Structure formats: structure tokens, C-alpha cells
């Protein structure tokens, strides 16, 4: 399936559309709506070409979002987030006054987003701003503006417009890859065909040097479960930055590590020119590690959840545009493109895993809040969204500074994990017991911390207050004690065996733990649906009220980063592994899908 949020036209100049010269019209007074400091990894190169096309997304204020938040489990989403008729009329009038015909607009189903393609010079007039080309330290370029304005009377009706001042990059949360050596102690990664897998133990099948699906299924106790609702239950994953899921590699992986799943396929839905390359990688793509992330996600999910249907959403950076010398890559906001597409679908997988994120401070607060509200809409439709917590602990050493002009020392929370409407997944290693993952060779440590944008939600206050009190002042001043705290749970995150380019490699990162945890949650949903019950949906209130009893508490290790130890693992909830790692059989019972304890919503 191919989908694009772009409109394949270039609007006529305002004077040609309306017949009235712009200079002859009265322009409403403008005021700055939003500004954001340029992150230190970016530097301005020069002005943006006037004819460069920007695929503008205008986010109108959602009229009843507070009500949606209160009714996350039963809301009629579109009715609660649609803007008021007055707001829509005012925005339409503003666009018409600037020469943009309403026939050129594309509205979301709830009409809370308007999409239109315009050249830079037209957008600069519309937003009273100037766009520039910015270069990242890795050599990539984007077109952005640090500040933009609106007519004063529209400030209360428009929440966000992008791409403007967001420098967010959906980076994969994997830190390292290397060719797979042989396991320690002469153990084989694949299990012998004659082994009765229903009676294997963790000690028999888990090895710290290489984590396999059999180990994960045994460790998290899904090994004896056969999915019963595969025709109804589904799980999804997301790909960004040119990543794809190579089906040939996936089949090689399954043939060795989950033979009964060989032939199990997955659907691919391409959004905004996303990548679904199934041919061998070029030398340049191999050097860049293309599809390592995509293969890791697909192989992990299929090997745990087969035959549950898997949908891979592969999203490009932007709708079609013509590259030039300064802007050779797409410049749109990929999360917005993805969530806009998914919200427009009649049917969505009940669990979706995402292994991409960036520092929260690279995203303007207003835009982060608006994207977060889009995630809430999926939660209201019964979708559990799991996001990787990050791979640099509390922040990359040497980069733990604020981006507000002060350059003050700070821990660096990760977005979207800081959004309260997603479930954030940390990382562990070892097996008896599991401890916080850490690899000194590549600096990998699972992310965790507290948001500077989102307040602490009611459902986690008690657990987080107890944790902060136990810190006894440690790290005071480096984090926001009243912010949304993450992660919410964790899973294995080191030395995952992955087949890539026909060979076995090892990968570390919360990019591994997130699809593993999502796969376990998907099996809980399977059990619920098989009993005629609804899926878990938005997980967090249930996790903090009851579901934590089905997680294995992690009490050793810390979210190392920023040149220190970061947040430590402690008994109960902590800011590095959340409540701990999943025990499928306990979670299934607690959710009311087989066991004595029924599901309870608070």
C-alpha cells in the first residue's frame, strides 16, 4: 500500500489566484507564535531556495482534548479532537487571504490538521519568517526556521505548524553492530530439532554472548503459548530514515531460530516514499548499516509472535520533492507523516513498536505536545504504542547541556518516551537475575529520566515520588522532578542475534528491547481477544495500577551517562528499567485472559 501526504501541485501565486494584488489587501497584525533555539549539532549554511517546496502541516487546536484524555478507553476520537467551526473558518480565511485556495488543502479526518504544499517564498510570507538551510555535524541538511509568526487572532486556534523550527531526528536506538562470533562455552544459538522446547530452562537456552528468540520466549514465558486470535490480533513496527525489512534475511533468520515460522510473511505499508527495498544493499548502504534496524525489529517480532500478523510501516522523510545541492535529503517531520496516515486508517494493529527517538530539547515544546496528543488518539482507539527509551543513559557524555542559550548542565530526556501517552521501554542484560544493560565499549546504557515538557501524569505520581525520595537529593538540579518519568518497563537489550545481508550480526540497544516487549504485549492481547475481551490499549494506567505485578523487578545497574552513574535501578519503579521485564503468564492472568486476577482500570 502506498500513501503520501503531499499534494502534487504548486499553488499559483496569490495575485493570480485572487486577482487582487497582495499589496492592496489589509494584512492582519502578526506576532511570534513559536521560537526554538537551533540545537548545537546544527549550523546555518544559508538562505533556503525560494522555490524549494515545503509540505506544510497546520495543526488546529483540538476542541475537546481534555475530554479525550479523560475517556482514553472509549472515546469517539474524531468528534473530540476536531476544531471548532469558528477556528476552521478563521484559518481558511487566513489561507485565502494569502492566496491559497481551499481546493488545494488536504484535511485530516477530524479536520485538526491541514496539509498543503507551498514554495519557501510563499510559506515565508504566510508565517512572516525566513527559512534557512541548516547542516548537521553528520553532513545532512534540512530547511528550517528558528521562529515563525501568525496573525494575533489565530494564536488561540493553531497549536503547531511544521516543518518550521523542529530539529528532531528520528534516530534508531541501536548503538553498535558487529559480526557474530561463536557463543561462549560451545553452546549453539539454534536449538537441536530433537529438543522438547516446552521443557527448556533459561539456563539451557540463554547465553549472555548472543540472545536468541528461544532465549527470549523462555525467559519471558511465551514459549508454550500458541496464538489463538491471529485473524483479529495484529502487531506493527515502524521504519524511518530509509530503513526497510529485508524479507530474504528474515526468512534466513527464522529458518535457524524459529523453524516452524518459516514462510511467515509480513505486510509492508509505504508512507511518503518510505523505503521497501528488497534487493541487496549497495556497498555504500552496507557501510551505513542500512536495514540493520529494520531487520532486527521484524525478526524479533515474528520469532516471538508467529503466526500473529505483522505490519511494517516504512515512512520517508517527506513527500516527493526535488533535491538540490544544499538539500539532498527530505525535510519533513516523519512522526507526523506516520501518525497522520495511521489515524486515517479504519483498522490499526493493537500494538505498534517504534525504535526511533531523539533528545526532547531538539523538538519545540508546542510541537512535542501536539505530536503527543496524536499518540493519545491512537491510545483512545485501543492501540498500545511502545517506544525505545534511548541508548545513552541520561545523556551522551560531553553533550549534557541545555539548548536554551544558557548551556547549563542537565540530563537529556528522550522524546517521544517523555510523552505520557506512549509506553517507554528500557533495557536489560543477563538472565539470573537480569540487570541494567551496559556496554563500556560502545557507551550503551538504556535511557531514562524525566521530561522537561510534560508534567507527571496522575497514574505514576505515587511510584515516582517514592523513587525520587529514595534518591535523597542525588542529581538534584539535573532533572525535573515533576516531569513525566520514564521508562515504564524494560526487556533484554544486548547481543541480539540478527541476520543482515545474509550473515549473523549482534546488535545492542533499546531498539532490541522495544520489539521484544511489544511482542509479549501482543500475545497478551491475543489471549484477551480469544476470550472476547478488548485489547489492553493505552497501557500505562494499567501498568502502574496493576500490571506491574506481572513484571520482573530489576534492582541492579544504572542509566550511566553525562559522565556519571545516572539514575539507579531500585526495588519497585525506577528511571532506568521502569517496573521491570515482562512475565507473559502473569501479565495474561492480570489482564483477565486466563488466571484468577481480572483486569482493572483505575
Amino acid at each position: 500500500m502506498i500513501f503520501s501526504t503531499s499534494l502534487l501541485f504548486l499553488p499559483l501565486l496569490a495575485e493570480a489566484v485572487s486577482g487582487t494584488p497582495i499589496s492592496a489587501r489589509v494584512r492582519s497584525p502578526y506576532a511570534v507564535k513559536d521560537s526554538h533555539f537551533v540545537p548545537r549539532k546544527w549550523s546555518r549554511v544559508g538562505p533556503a531556495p525560494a522555490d524549494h517546496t515545503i509540505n506544510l502541516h497546520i495543526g488546529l487546536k483540538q476542541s475537546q482534548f481534555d475530554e479525550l484524555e479523560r475517556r482514553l478507553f472509549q472515546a469517539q476520537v474524531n468528534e473530540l479532537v476536531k476544531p471548532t467551526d469558528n477556528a476552521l473558518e478563521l484559518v481558511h480565511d487566513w489561507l485565502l487571504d494569502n492566496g491559497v485556495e481551499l481546493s488545494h488543502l488536504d484535511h485530516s479526518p477530524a479536520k485538526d490538521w491541514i496539509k498543503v504544499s507551498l514554495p519557501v517564498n510563499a510559506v515565508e510570507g504566510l508565517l512572516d519568517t525566513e527559512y534557512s538551510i541548516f547542516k548537521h555535524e553528520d553532513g545532512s541538511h534540512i530547511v528550517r526556521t528558528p521562529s515563525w509568526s501568525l496573525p494575533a487572532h489565530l494564536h488561540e486556534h493553531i497549536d503547531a505548524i511544521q516543518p518550521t523550527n523542529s530539529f528532531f531526528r528520528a534516530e534508531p536506538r541501536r548503538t553498535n553492530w558487529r559480526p557474530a562470533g561463536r557463543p561462549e562455552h560451545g553452546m549453539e544459538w539454534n536449538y537441536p530439532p530433537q529438543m522438547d522446547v516446552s521443557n527448556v530452562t533459561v539456563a539451557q537456552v540463554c547465553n549472555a554472548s548472543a540472545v536468541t528468540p528461544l532465549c527470549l520466549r523462555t525467559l519471558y514465558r511465551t514459549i508454550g503459548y500458541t496464538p489463538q486470535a491471529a485473524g483479529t490480533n495484529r502487531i506493527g513496527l515502524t521504519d524511518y530514515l530509509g530503513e526497510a525489512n529485508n524479507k530474504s534475511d528474515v526468512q534466513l533468520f527464522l529458518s535457524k531460530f524459529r523453524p516452524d515460522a518459516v514462510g511467515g510473511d509480513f505486510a509492508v505499508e509505504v508512507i511518503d516514499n518510505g523505503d521497501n527495498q528488497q534487493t541487496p544493499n549497495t556497498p555504500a548502504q552496507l557501510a551505513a548499516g542500512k536495514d540493520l534496524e529494520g531487520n532486527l525489529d521484524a525478526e524479533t517480532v515474528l520469532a516471538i509472535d508467529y503466526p500473529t500478523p505483522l505490519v511494517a510501516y516504512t515512512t520517508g522523510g517527506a513527500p516527493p520533492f526535488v533535491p538540490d545541492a544544499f538539500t539532498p535529503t527530505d525535510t519533513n517531520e516523519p512522526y507526523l507523516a506516520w501518525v497522520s496516515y495511521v489515524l486515517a486508517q479504519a483498522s490499526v494493529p493493537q500494538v505498534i513498536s517504534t525504535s526511533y527517538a531523539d533528545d526532547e530539547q531538539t523538538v519545540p515544546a508546542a510541537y512535542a505536545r501536539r505530536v503527543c496528543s496524536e499518540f493519545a488518539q491512537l491510545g483512545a482507539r485501543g492501540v498500545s504504542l511502545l517506544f525505545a527509551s534511548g541508548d545513552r543513559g541520561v545523556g551522551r557524555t560531553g553533550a549534557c547541556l541545555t539548548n536554551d542559550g544558557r548551556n547549563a548542565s542537565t540530563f537529556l530526556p528522550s522524546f517521544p518516551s517523555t510523552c505520557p501517552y506512549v509506553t517507554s521501554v528500557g533495557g536489560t542484560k543477563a538472565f539470573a537475575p537480569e540487570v541494567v544493560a551496559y556496554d563500556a565499549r560502545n557507551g550503551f546504557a538504556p535511557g531514562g529520566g524525566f521530561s522537561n515538557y510534560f508534567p507527571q501524569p496522575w497514574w505514576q505520581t505515587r511510584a515516582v515520588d517514592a523513587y525520587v525520595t529514595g534518591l535523597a537529593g542525588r542529581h538534584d538540579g539535573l532533572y525535573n522532578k515533576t516531569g513525566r518519568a520514564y521508562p515504564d518497563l524494560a526487556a533484554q537489550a544486548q547481543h541480539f542475534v540478527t541476520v543482515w545481508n545474509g550473515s549473523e550480526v549482534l546488535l545492542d540497544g533499546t531498539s532490541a528491547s522495544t520489539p521484544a516487549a511489544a511482542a509479549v504485549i501482543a500475545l497478551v492481547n491475543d489471549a484477551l481477544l480469544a476470550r472476547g475481551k478488548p485489547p489492553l490499549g493505552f497501557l500505562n494506567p494499567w501498568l502502574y495500577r496493576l500490571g506491574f505485578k506481572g513484571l520482573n523487578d530489576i534492582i541492579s545497574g544504572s542509566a550511566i551517562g553525562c559522565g556519571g552513574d545516572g539514575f539507579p535501578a531500585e526495588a519497585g519503579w525506577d528511571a532506568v528499567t521502569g517496573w521491570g521485564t515482562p512475565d507473559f503468564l502473569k501479565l495474561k492472568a492480570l489482564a483477565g485472559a486466563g488466571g484468577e486476577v481480572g483486569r482493572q482500570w483505575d
Side-chain angles (χ1 to χ4, degrees):
M1 180 182 298
I2 307 293
F3 175 86
S4 174
T5 59
S6 69
L7 303 180
L8 301 179
F9 73 95
L10 285 177
L12 299 174
L13 293 177
E15 295 176 11
V17 171
S18 65
T20 304
I22 294 176
S23 59
R25 298 192 213 122
V26 176
R27 183 177 172 89
S28 300
Y30 270 61
V32 173
K33 170 63 175 175
D34 196 27
S35 60
H36 187 65
F37 279 87
V38 177
R40 59 182 48 83
K41 292 182 180 181
W42 293 92
S43 59
R44 184 179 183 273
V45 175
D51 59 351
H52 173 77
T53 299
I54 291 179
N55 300 282
L56 206 63
H57 290 64
I58 303 169
L60 281 70
K61 182 176 178 62
Q62 297 168 332
S63 60
Q64 300 182 70
F65 182 77
D66 290 345
E67 183 65 17
L68 172 70
E69 192 173 31
R70 284 191 291 270
R71 297 166 55 191
L72 264 174
F73 311 110
Q74 56 195 15
Q76 296 298 314
V77 175
N78 286 349
E79 287 302 307
L80 294 180
V81 301
K82 70 179 183 181
T84 64
D85 292 341
N86 180 56
L88 195 60
E89 181 179 355
L90 288 172
V91 172
H92 282 168
D93 288 346
W94 165 61
L95 292 171
L96 282 169
D97 286 345
N98 283 271
V100 181
E101 289 292 341
L102 300 189
S103 61
H104 293 160
L105 306 181
D106 184 15
H107 296 80
S108 65
K111 291 184 166 55
D112 58 331
W113 283 101
I114 296 174
K115 292 167 282 186
V116 62
S117 294
L118 297 166
V120 161
N121 57 355
V123 178
E124 289 179 334
L126 191 68
L127 302 181
D128 193 25
T129 189
E130 292 184 2
Y131 277 80
S132 298
I133 298 167
F134 290 88
K135 182 179 180 180
H136 192 267
E137 62 183 20
D138 69 4
S140 60
H141 295 78
I142 59 173
V143 172
R144 291 292 186 271
T145 176
S147 178
W148 54 279
S149 301
L150 288 174
H153 71 283
L154 292 181
H155 280 220
E156 64 179 299
H157 300 298
I158 292 178
D159 286 337
I161 297 180
Q162 292 295 340
T164 50
N165 56 353
S166 174
F167 289 80
F168 173 82
R169 289 157 57 87
E171 296 180 322
R173 288 327 201 185
R174 59 169 170 79
T175 61
N176 191 39
W177 72 273
R178 53 197 178 280
R182 298 311 305 161
E184 297 172 359
H185 311 305
M187 291 180 61
E188 289 295 323
W189 290 335
N190 56 325
Y191 54 91
Q194 69 272 17
M195 180 180 288
D196 180 1
V197 297
S198 63
N199 292 316
V200 296
T201 65
V202 171
Q204 288 176 310
V205 298
C206 287
N207 187 295
S209 66
V211 172
T212 66
L214 180 58
C215 171
L216 293 171
R217 295 168 66 210
T218 306
L219 182 65
Y220 298 140
R221 299 215 292 169
T222 70
I223 190 73
Y225 181 78
T226 300
Q228 308 163 64
T232 304
N233 190 39
R234 293 191 296 161
I235 183 171
L237 62 84
T238 62
D239 297 312
Y240 298 99
L241 299 177
E243 285 287 301
N245 317 96
N246 187 276
K247 294 191 175 188
S248 175
D249 282 342
V250 170
Q251 290 303 311
L252 285 173
F253 180 86
L254 294 176
S255 69
K256 185 162 188 178
F257 299 109
R258 183 76 194 267
D260 61 309
V262 171
D265 199 4
F266 55 93
V268 178
E269 300 194 15
V270 179
I271 306 167
D272 281 358
N273 284 356
D275 192 325
N276 188 27
Q277 176 183 327
Q278 296 298 325
T279 56
N281 285 335
T282 66
Q285 290 172 331
L286 290 174
K290 172 177 160 48
D291 299 343
L292 276 167
E293 179 65 53
N295 285 7
L296 168 65
D297 291 348
E299 291 167 9
T300 299
V301 169
L302 282 172
I304 295 174
D305 277 1
Y306 176 80
T308 302
L310 168 64
V311 179
Y313 298 100
T314 176
T315 304
F321 88 112
V322 179
D324 57 42
F326 287 106
T327 54
T329 54
D330 292 338
T331 60
N332 205 1
E333 291 289 333
Y335 277 156
L336 187 53
W338 174 79
V339 76
S340 297
Y341 168 76
V342 173
L343 284 171
Q345 305 308 300
S347 177
V348 181
Q350 292 89 345
V351 176
I352 300 176
S353 171
T354 298
S355 297
Y356 300 78
D358 201 356
D359 294 342
E360 184 184 64
Q361 67 177 6
T362 66
V363 189
Y367 181 55
R369 286 191 288 267
R370 184 53 191 264
V371 171
C372 185
S373 74
E374 305 300 303
F375 294 151
Q377 293 180 52
L378 285 172
R381 290 178 57 176
V383 179
S384 302
L385 296 175
L386 280 73
F387 279 82
S389 71
D391 290 353
R392 298 297 179 187
V394 293
R396 187 190 301 270
T397 299
C400 299
L401 300 170
T402 60
N403 190 49
D404 56 5
R406 297 182 299 121
N407 289 330
S409 296
T410 185
F411 288 165
L412 297 176
S414 176
F415 182 79
S417 275
T418 53
C419 169
Y421 306 116
V422 309
T423 299
S424 177
V425 184
T428 62
K429 67 176 182 178
F431 312 106
E434 292 182 85
V435 300
V436 176
Y438 176 62
D439 190 331
R441 295 171 298 176
N442 56 34
F444 165 55
F450 296 73
S451 175
N452 292 315
Y453 289 173
F454 299 99
Q456 202 167 102
W458 59 268
W459 35 262
Q460 70 170 185
T461 299
R462 181 182 299 178
V464 175
D465 282 352
Y467 179 73
V468 170
T469 298
L471 291 176
R474 193 187 332 179
H475 307 315
D476 277 5
L478 296 175
Y479 72 101
N480 175 22
K481 295 180 180 180
T482 62
R484 187 288 205 244
Y486 73 98
D488 304 297
L489 48 76
Q492 286 283 311
Q494 254 181 285
H495 302 168
F496 269 50
V497 181
T498 304
V499 171
W500 172 74
N501 193 38
S503 300
E504 294 167 11
V505 298
L506 298 177
L507 293 173
D508 299 341
T510 50
S511 282
S513 60
T514 305
V520 175
I521 297 300
L523 291 181
V524 176
N525 280 341
D526 178 271
L528 285 167
L529 291 166
R531 294 170 70 94
K533 298 185 177 185
L536 288 169
F538 175 43
L539 285 173
N540 294 352
W542 178 73
L543 278 179
Y544 284 77
R545 169 67 179 85
L546 180 65
F548 70 90
K549 297 178 181 179
L551 300 174
N552 306 306
D553 197 7
I554 310 300
I555 60 174
S556 179
S558 70
I560 292 170
C562 294
D565 288 340
F567 293 112
E570 300 285 355
W573 182 89
D574 58 63
V576 59
T577 62
W579 287 105
T581 60
D583 182 320
F584 168 69
L585 296 181
K586 288 182 179 179
L587 288 171
K588 183 164 68 77
L590 290 164
E596 298 179 357
V597 184
R599 183 169 77 168
Q600 300 176 24
W601 298 108
D602 207 14

